[in-house]
Amino acid sequence: MRYFVFKQMINKVNYLIFAIVLILLSVAIPNFNLPVANAGNILSGFSLSAQNDWQITVGESQKSADKLALDLQESLNCKRNEIGKLAILIIHPHGEFDRTEPISLAEREGGGSVLEMKIHWHRKLPFMTRNHLTIIDWEILHNRHFGAAVILDDAILSPIHPQELNNLFKELLPDNL
């Protein structure tokens, strides 16, 4: 008889442990069925997309590539945290944005420029918080958007929605240069 009572008690404890594990997993595992972040929709409420906010003089087709890159770097640095927050929303929707370092500029191999954005963010898990760094390179070639991509990401879960990230940066460049 004691054995039967003891076995029932162990079963109840096992069910309780199983229930606790399921609850913890439901909190810790993000929902990957979220709708895809759309750069156009995100930018609709973002003031940087308005041409008036740019310090770049649009319409100058003769603008040198170096001057454009410097003007673009200066303009992006003014709004770097807002852009970084949008980028993290797209590629790590469960992450929480912290800050964006000043955007750096370099020459692109084969011509053009590369603007590098270092974004610091974190993810809160039930029993700990993990800090992360994501680096995005935005390539400009012949005064046009060439591509934007994550070149470094130290999160366990890989960044998602690379095309939407590329579209975000494409929308940031005035189209009438």
Side-chain angles (χ1 to χ4, degrees), residues 3-5 16 19 47-48 52 67 70 75 93 106-108 116 119 123 125-127 131 136 152-153 162 177:
Y3 175 74
F4 181 70
V5 172
L16 180 63
S47 64
L48 184 62
N52 299 342
K67 175 74 171 126
L70 288 172
S75 295
E107 286 186 28
R108 181 181 174 276
E116 184 177 82
I119 306 169
R123 181 173 285 134
L125 299 172
F127 299 107
N131 294 317
I136 298 170
L152 182 137
D153 189 277
L177 286 175

Side-chain angles (χ1 to χ4, degrees), residues 3-177:
Y3 175 74
F4 181 70
V5 172
F6 183 70
K7 189 172 181 180
Q8 280 183 331
M9 193 169 68
I10 288 186
N11 283 341
K12 287 181 182 180
V13 170
N14 284 339
Y15 285 125
L16 180 63
I17 290 172
F18 182 69
I20 291 171
V21 168
L22 284 178
I23 290 169
L24 289 176
L25 285 175
S26 69
V27 173
I29 297 175
N31 178 6
F32 290 107
N33 294 324
L34 292 175
V36 174
N38 182 310
N41 292 341
I42 290 172
L43 282 175
S44 65
F46 186 53
S47 64
L48 184 62
S49 65
Q51 300 293 330
N52 299 342
D53 287 351
W54 284 103
Q55 297 172 8
I56 299 169
T57 307
V58 293
E60 290 183 27
S61 58
Q62 299 301 320
K63 181 176 283 237
S64 76
D66 292 341
K67 175 74 171 126
L68 171 70
L70 288 172
D71 288 350
L72 187 56
Q73 178 189 23
E74 186 177 335
S75 295
L76 290 174
N77 271 321
C78 292
K79 299 279 188 173
R80 71 178 184 256
N81 285 323
E82 290 91 340
I83 298 167
K85 190 178 291 187
L86 291 174
I88 290 302
L89 178 65
I90 291 170
I91 61 175
H92 288 292
H94 299 285
E96 294 185 37
F97 172 81
D98 292 325
R99 67 184 174 86
T100 303
E101 292 182 19
I103 295 168
S104 60
L105 175 66
E107 286 186 28
R108 181 181 174 276
E109 196 173 306
S113 303
V114 177
L115 295 151
E116 184 177 82
M117 178 178 277
K118 293 181 180 178
I119 306 169
H120 297 269
W121 60 282
H122 66 277
R123 181 173 285 134
K124 288 184 182 176
L125 299 172
F127 299 107
M128 63 184 225
T129 298
R130 297 231 17 221
N131 294 317
H132 299 287
L133 172 66
T134 297
I135 300 177
I136 298 170
D137 274 2
W138 181 17
E139 298 181 71
I140 307 293
L141 182 64
H142 304 299
N143 292 355
R144 300 266 183 254
H145 169 84
F146 186 74
V150 174
I151 61 160
L152 182 137
D153 189 277
D154 67 359
I156 293 170
L157 299 173
S158 298
I160 58 174
H161 309 308
Q163 186 57 50
E164 286 75 13
L165 178 71
N166 186 54
N167 292 344
L168 169 68
F169 282 89
K170 184 176 184 179
E171 293 294 321
L172 292 177
L173 192 62
D175 38 339
N176 58 343
L177 286 175

